[in-house]
Amino acid sequence: MALRTLFSKKAFTTASGFRPIAAGDRCFLRQARGLTVAALPDLAYDYGALEPAISGEIMRLHHQKHHQAYVTNYNNALEQLETAMAKGDASAVVRLQSAIKFNGGGHINHSIFWKNLKPVNEGGGEPPHSTLGWAIDTDFCSLEALVQKMNAEGAALQGSGWVWLALDKGSKKLSVETTANQDPLVSKGANLVPLLGIDVWEHAYYLQYKNVRPDYLKNIWKVINWKYASEVFDEETA
Amino acid sequence: MQHQTLSCCGGVRASSPPPLSFRWSKIKREGGRRLPRCARIAAHLELKPPPYSLSSLEPHMSRETLDYHWGRHHRAHVASLNNLIAGTDLDGMGLDEIVVASYNKGNPLPPFVHAAQVWNHDFFWQSIKPGGGGRPSGRLMELIERDFGSFDRMLEEFERAALTHFGSGWAWLVYTANRLDVGNAVNPCPSEKDNKLVVLKSPNAVNPIVWDYSPLLAIDVWEHAYYLDYENRRADYVSIFLEKLVSWEVVSDRLDVAIERAAERAREDETRRLEDDAEITHSEAVEMYLDSDADDSEAE
């Protein structure tokens, strides 16, 4: 999995107005409590390997800047949360929740997203077969209909957010969901497991597709990693 | 945008959003029948050009950004708005009214995102100019110093709002006038302190006129506003906006209008209060008169 436990000295940035914690405190906390820090996962392919569907420039910025910022800010917020909890500072605990949700959600969502993509010459775009393929036919009539639905909902989403192919762990049914900003899929239902997510924030496509989000959505299917989606589906429905 | 009828498949989750072509407020004319398409009033809001050429904000905001931001995004909202309101109650209304009506007190109708984004972008282009930046003066500076402590503190707060906004949206400097949005509720001790400058942020298309505030300055923090020129570096975009682009003259003019508007409404409130008082006094007097009249008749 992409989330590695990482113990390291980090240079704390004061992004989003958070106070940096003194280095001494930070080391003590980490060793005493074994705080697991989120880390930026590596991609399984080069930045340029998804071209022409998604440009190398977008992939680099998306991974190295946007996702990294979520990771950094999430870790900052967790450290501050730990201090606040230790001091019994309930106001600070509550105040930190939106930053944790936003940055933590951003980290979760993007970690899934990188696994949802694959270069064409490594199987990207190859449609799903067997179990997931049949489930799609049952719940959406056809793969084309599913793609159309996800594209329609992705294009219609106002502002920033994600469009998901979701599996309900309880009913074993597939559905298309959208979430706003960096809300993870579970915020739409505790039973929902993400099989595929498509980032429709402007940073995901603007340099290449400008305002034409529908073109981005049409093209991204060429590099979608259905194998990953099938693996998650099989695991959850076993 | 299509919506699939999935009646061919069993066990489908009903998770699709409501249809976009909903029926709301379509006005009926001429005895209940809608006018034929050719005779319907066509909504005619226009895409206003910025008050400067599209290249003149370079190097701070590129021609390319203006071409897309104004030429595609803003233009598309105007077209969508005209499309959605044609033949409805909103057709023919002023843009401000359309924004407030379609906001529908927090439960926005489909035209809202387009109406508000047209309003927001018109406002945004007018808030900046080539050779902008510097410092304000006069009454605007006085109020900034009164309400924020200093000009630099106000800039800090504005920057922080713009940088800490999660997702798409806008950051604003507004002039508030403490009005309660309930028909019969009155601010019992209105004072000049209720009217002040405030920094706030709003998500997606929302803008402060729906809260009955007077916006003075706006910065667009949707990614499309800065991505071509600054990529992910929103902080650089916001600093440059404040240092090189903002037109404090326009902000100052807007403040004058806002103050006048607040004074006008205060006068209206006062008049209404006096009229209400007079009405109560008058009706009491009539009652007393009737009672004494009855007494007289009995005496006779």
Side-chain angles (χ1 to χ4, degrees):
Chain A
M1 292 301 278
L3 294 171
R4 301 192 309 257
T5 306
L6 181 70
F7 290 83
S8 69
K9 290 193 178 68
K10 279 183 194 287
F12 270 48
T13 55
T14 53
S16 307
F18 295 130
R19 292 172 298 105
I21 295 175
D25 296 338
R26 187 186 343 134
C27 292
F28 171 77
L29 283 170
R30 214 170 283 198
Q31 286 151 27
R33 290 166 170 268
L35 177 69
T36 302
V37 175
L40 182 69
D42 291 330
L43 302 191
Y45 39 81
D46 292 336
Y47 290 132
L50 302 180
E51 292 191 350
I54 306 178
S55 73
E57 195 191 3
I58 285 184
M59 290 303 294
R60 183 184 60 81
L61 282 168
H62 206 171
H63 182 245
Q64 285 183 3
K65 304 289 179 182
H66 292 275
H67 190 171
Q68 179 64 70
Y70 293 128
V71 167
T72 304
N73 293 337
Y74 177 54
N75 287 336
N76 274 353
L78 286 184
E79 293 257 6
Q80 292 189 39
L81 177 67
E82 205 169 28
T83 309
M85 283 165 62
K87 288 200 301 201
D89 184 351
S91 302
V93 169
V94 170
R95 182 180 51 79
L96 287 163
Q97 295 311 305
S98 66
I100 289 169
K101 178 183 182 187
F102 180 68
N103 291 294
H107 176 47
I108 292 167
N109 295 339
H110 286 86
S111 300
I112 295 167
F113 188 51
W114 309 134
K115 289 184 285 192
N116 285 157
L117 303 172
K118 205 132 184 77
V120 172
N121 60 11
E122 292 176 37
E126 263 175 37
H129 301 295
S130 74
T131 46
L132 178 56
W134 301 328
I136 288 173
D137 287 342
T138 304
D139 290 339
F140 296 99
C141 276
S142 67
L143 180 60
E144 290 69 38
L146 167 61
V147 168
Q148 250 182 333
K149 186 166 169 60
M150 285 186 73
N151 287 351
E153 301 222 10
L157 193 150
Q158 284 179 26
S160 310
W162 291 75
V163 58
W164 303 93
L165 172 61
L167 168 68
D168 185 315
K169 277 196 292 207
S171 66
K172 313 291 188 211
K173 286 288 178 206
L174 297 173
S175 63
V176 171
E177 307 285 346
T178 56
T179 54
N181 297 334
Q182 292 300 350
D183 295 354
L185 181 60
V186 290
S187 60
K188 274 287 169 87
N191 266 350
L192 295 178
V193 173
L195 302 183
L196 288 181
I198 300 179
D199 189 348
V200 293
W201 280 66
E202 285 171 330
H203 64 239
Y205 60 88
Y206 207 80
L207 291 180
Q208 186 176 354
Y209 294 96
K210 309 292 192 307
N211 59 308
V212 194
R213 195 193 280 177
D215 280 357
Y216 158 69
L217 290 166
K218 210 166 56 159
N219 281 294
I220 198 172
W221 294 102
K222 298 173 186 163
V223 289
I224 286 288
N225 184 5
W226 283 108
K227 190 152 163 288
Y228 168 79
S230 291
E231 282 165 12
V232 176
F233 180 79
D234 290 339
E235 213 177 286
E236 295 292 343
T237 54
Chain B
M1 265 154 242
Q2 301 136 37
H3 292 274
Q4 306 288 316
T5 45
L6 297 172
S7 50
C8 59
C9 311
V12 170
R13 255 177 99 93
S15 65
S16 27
L20 289 176
S21 58
F22 67 113
R23 288 174 199 83
W24 59 272
S25 295
K26 294 275 184 198
I27 55 170
K28 294 188 171 40
R29 299 191 194 155
E30 308 231 310
R33 284 177 304 112
R34 286 182 71 203
L35 287 174
R37 207 173 178 85
C38 52
R40 222 178 286 157
I41 292 174
H44 58 273
L45 289 153
E46 280 170 9
L47 175 67
K48 284 199 270 243
Y52 38 77
S53 81
L54 299 183
S55 318
S56 58
L57 300 179
E58 295 207 342
H60 315 300
M61 193 180 284
S62 67
R63 167 64 188 253
E64 199 193 7
T65 291
L66 268 291
D67 279 342
Y68 283 102
H69 199 175
W70 175 77
R72 308 273 177 118
H73 290 269
H74 190 172
R75 187 186 301 272
H77 283 301
V78 173
S80 300
L81 177 63
N82 281 332
N83 235 356
L84 280 174
I85 66 174
T88 72
D89 291 342
L90 297 181
D91 200 345
M93 284 165 84
L95 184 58
D96 285 40
E97 288 177 89
I98 297 174
V99 170
V100 173
S102 60
Y103 184 66
N104 197 22
K105 297 194 192 279
N107 202 8
L109 303 168
F112 175 73
V113 61
H114 302 295
Q117 285 292 73
V118 172
W119 195 100
N120 296 340
H121 285 93
D122 283 344
F123 190 83
F124 178 61
W125 302 127
Q126 286 157 20
S127 299
I128 56 182
K129 64 172 193 183
R135 301 167 74 85
S137 57
R139 184 153 62 163
L140 174 58
M141 189 56 128
E142 276 170 36
L143 289 189
I144 287 174
E145 284 171 346
R146 183 195 74 178
D147 294 333
F148 292 93
S150 69
F151 178 59
D152 288 333
R153 296 265 288 274
M154 186 278 286
L155 289 183
E156 262 172 43
E157 215 175 297
F158 189 84
E159 275 198 53
R160 190 170 47 243
L163 294 181
T164 59
H165 183 68
F166 292 159
S168 311
W170 300 75
W172 306 84
L173 177 68
V174 304
Y175 182 73
T176 69
N178 187 14
R179 289 181 69 79
L180 304 174
D181 185 25
V182 180
N184 60 352
V186 176
N187 183 350
C189 300
S191 80
E192 194 37 46
K193 288 208 205 122
D194 295 328
N195 304 333
K196 54 181 189 274
L197 297 180
V198 164
V199 164
L200 44 88
K201 42 190 177 174
S202 63
N204 293 349
V206 178
N207 70 29
I209 71 172
V210 306
W211 302 315
D212 206 25
Y213 293 156
S214 302
L216 305 179
L217 176 64
I219 184 171
D220 188 348
V221 292
W222 284 63
E223 286 174 326
H224 65 240
Y226 58 91
Y227 217 81
L228 295 179
D229 295 334
Y230 298 94
E231 293 168 344
N232 61 302
R233 301 184 311 277
R234 194 194 282 187
D236 289 348
Y237 159 66
V238 175
S239 317
I240 295 281
F241 174 88
L242 289 170
E243 280 167 38
K244 307 282 189 191
L245 290 175
V246 70
S247 168
W248 293 113
E249 293 79 20
V250 166
V251 176
S252 204
D253 291 342
R254 288 168 176 164
L255 177 65
D256 291 340
V257 170
I259 289 175
E260 182 46 45
R261 181 169 165 250
E264 171 80 34
R265 289 165 120 186
R267 283 192 292 272
E268 282 170 12
D269 284 346
E270 190 53 33
T271 313
R272 203 173 308 123
R273 208 198 321 271
L274 290 171
E275 279 172 5
D276 285 349
D277 285 348
E279 206 184 291
I280 291 167
T281 315
H282 181 66
S283 55
E284 281 171 8
V286 169
E287 254 183 58
M288 280 160 43
Y289 178 70
L290 284 173
D291 280 341
S292 57
D293 207 44
D295 285 340
D296 284 346
S297 63
E298 276 179 13
E300 282 189 53

